[in-house]
Amino acid sequence: MTAAISLDNARPLDAEPLDAKPLPVANAARVGVLLVNLGTPDTADAAGVRVYLKEFLSDRRVIEDQGLLWKIILNGIILNVRPRKKARDYQSIWNNEKNESPLKTITRAQSEKLAASIADRSHVVVDWAMRYGNPSIKAGVDGLMAKGCDRILVVPLYPQYSAATSATVCDEAFRVLTELRAQPTLRVTPPYYNDGFYIEALAVSIEDHLKTLPYAPELIVASFHGMPKEYVDKGDPYREQCVATTELLRKRLGMDDTKLLLTFQSRFGFSEWLQPYTDKTIEKLAKDGVKRIAVVMPGFAADCLETLEEISGENCEIFKHNGGEEFSAVPCLNDSAPGMEVLRQLVLRELQGWL
């Protein structure tokens, strides 16, 4: 079928030619990439930690039951007691030169190195943010839009998905969009727990670290951040993805489940969390006669309080107090060359169609 063509507005053949000058070209739109990690206090004192903990523990994704009892516990007990202790922990790892936590220092470096690695895509702008604390996701989105980005790729820096980490990044990113009349188009990178570049980077980081040690570990503990067992029972895929990462890492390193153990750290409160617990496992290993171990934290994209203080500090002390002799924590991928290749490949893959 041929469409009808209206000749009502057709130009006569002897009409003057149209102006041949080209129309002005609008500025080419840019694409933003926003790396997002968990968060950190702005200051390493009780006041700074209190502000951070209040925001973190008031998130329904983190503590699902935000009822009256929890609010009484949070505001009446936790925020009056825990900040002082946690402030001392932060002070023990604080980057005093920059007056910030290592998590901020490393995430900024990851952003800068990622930008440099894709600098040939001149219309791509890379920035970073924290889910809790500063710089906020709102500041990140606003900043990218101010630089002309009408499309933004949000990159939650969590290899394994959980509602308490990846999902809450999405919640906040889309909440920020609800405040905007002219919204950018948003994409979110998927979890990369089984990505080949990620597994290879983990394996290389472990192998390189072990070469620096004056001893050979009898086994390696892979410690992931824990979560209440109830959350997994409700359908959170986090544990399943931690298991998959560990199994792939075992295969790559040529180890079995007696040489590369899977554990979960950082439990909080009185409910049952994912097991086996890292601290209890390390205590038992020492009591059973294991003298030399190394610990790797595959679920953390950057070193932070949970890796630098909880593992390298507290768990090292637990191991040695119970008869262990040699303990070493493998640094997270951070802004190392293998770690940056993971992020580069992830971002380039998810930007397809926008580049």
Side-chain angles (χ1 to χ4, degrees), residues 253-296:
L253 293 172
M255 296 180 173
D256 60 23
D257 59 3
T258 66
K259 293 301 181 181
L260 181 60
L261 280 56
L262 167 63
T263 64
F264 296 94
Q265 64 181 85
S266 309
R267 67 186 183 279
F268 173 77
F270 300 103
S271 62
E272 181 183 356
W273 279 45
L274 295 180
Q275 297 192 43
Y277 299 139
T278 298
D279 55 354
K280 297 299 183 183
T281 298
I282 286 176
E283 178 182 349
K284 185 176 186 305
L285 288 172
K287 288 181 176 179
D288 287 347
V290 175
K291 299 299 182 183
R292 304 178 302 278
I293 67 171
V295 182
V296 62

Side-chain angles (χ1 to χ4, degrees), residues 166-235:
S166 309
T168 192
V169 168
C170 296
D171 289 347
E172 179 62 12
F174 283 102
R175 187 201 67 77
V176 169
L177 262 60
T178 64
E179 301 175 352
L180 303 176
R181 182 173 294 277
Q183 295 180 341
T185 300
L186 205 66
R187 284 183 183 175
V188 182
T189 56
Y192 53 97
Y193 65 97
N194 59 353
D195 181 90
F197 288 98
Y198 164 64
I199 299 300
E200 182 64 19
L202 287 176
V204 169
S205 71
I206 293 170
E207 291 169 341
D208 287 349
H209 182 75
L210 296 185
K211 291 175 185 176
T212 69
L213 300 180
Y215 66 93
E218 296 167 59
L219 54 84
I220 299 173
V221 176
S223 179
F224 294 82
H225 201 290
M227 68 161 45
K229 180 177 178 295
E230 177 188 8
Y231 293 6
V232 171
D233 293 341
K234 290 179 177 179

Side-chain angles (χ1 to χ4, degrees), residues 129-174:
M130 295 289 167
R131 171 59 184 90
Y132 311 102
N134 296 299
S136 67
I137 291 176
K138 175 175 171 51
V141 170
D142 289 348
L144 289 172
M145 291 183 66
K147 293 176 181 177
C149 298
D150 67 351
R151 290 158 292 173
I152 297 176
L153 176 67
V154 175
V155 186
L157 292 174
Y158 312 109
Q160 298 77 25
Y161 171 95
S162 81
T165 54
S166 309
T168 192
V169 168
C170 296
D171 289 347
E172 179 62 12
F174 283 102

